[in-house]
Amino acid sequence: MGQQYKPSQKALIVEDDVELRSLAAALLEETDLDIVEASSGEEALHYLHHHAGEVAFLFSDVKLPCLMDGVDLARTVRLKWPWVRTVLTSGAPLEDEHEKALRDVRFMPKPWRALDVLVEAEKATRQTIQ
């Protein structure tokens, strides 16, 4: 009959450090996800307002430039787009109040392991297919 159309799913990487963002993008190119990069929470939120239906995975640093940090971004995503699997990463541990508020958000300390990031991305693709 023909092939079943599978809409593209995207991974949104939010990191202000260009080298780390490029590393995460190169790693996630090994998945079935298309990669979108942002350098701030505001830039990511702008993208999500227009393309949230395509985003399956958000991988964001906690410390970001501008007003919105990664925790604010994760909270907003969990409220507006709960299907987006969200992972926060940082070189410092999450503060207790942030950890409690972000129950459905995975935290990965830096330096993160490539396998851990790939496992989370794979979970995101399986989650949106079901």
Side-chain angles (χ1 to χ4, degrees):
M1 260 239 269
Q3 292 184 340
Q4 180 181 359
Y5 172 72
K6 181 181 171 191
S8 72
Q9 296 178 314
K10 297 187 179 359
L12 177 55
I13 302 166
V14 189
E15 171 65 65
D16 61 322
D17 182 315
V18 176
E19 289 180 21
L20 281 176
R21 191 171 66 236
S22 295
L23 179 63
L27 174 64
L28 289 170
E29 284 175 354
E30 300 300 317
T31 69
D32 289 335
L33 297 167
D34 293 333
I35 310 303
V36 177
E37 299 178 35
S39 60
S40 70
E42 288 82 0
E43 188 180 338
L45 201 54
H46 181 266
Y47 181 83
L48 284 162
H49 277 296
H50 299 286
H51 305 282
E54 302 167 6
V55 178
F57 184 55
L58 171 67
F59 186 63
S60 177
D61 191 10
V62 169
K63 294 191 189 289
L64 295 170
C66 301
L67 297 175
M68 177 177 271
D69 67 11
V71 173
D72 295 333
L73 177 61
R75 281 188 182 132
T76 303
V77 168
R78 296 309 302 154
L79 286 172
K80 291 186 167 205
W81 307 288
W83 65 85
V84 177
R85 186 167 194 86
T86 303
V87 175
L88 288 177
T89 184
S90 179
L94 271 184
E95 296 173 18
D96 286 341
E97 70 268 11
H98 292 311
E99 202 168 333
K100 290 175 187 165
L102 297 170
R103 275 180 268 133
D104 296 328
V105 174
R106 171 92 195 280
F107 177 74
M108 231 179 257
K110 285 181 182 177
W112 32 263
R113 294 179 340 150
L115 181 60
D116 292 338
V117 177
L118 289 172
V119 165
E120 290 300 319
E122 179 63 29
K123 287 179 184 176
T125 60
R126 285 197 317 255
Q127 176 178 306
T128 55
I129 291 172
Q130 296 173 357

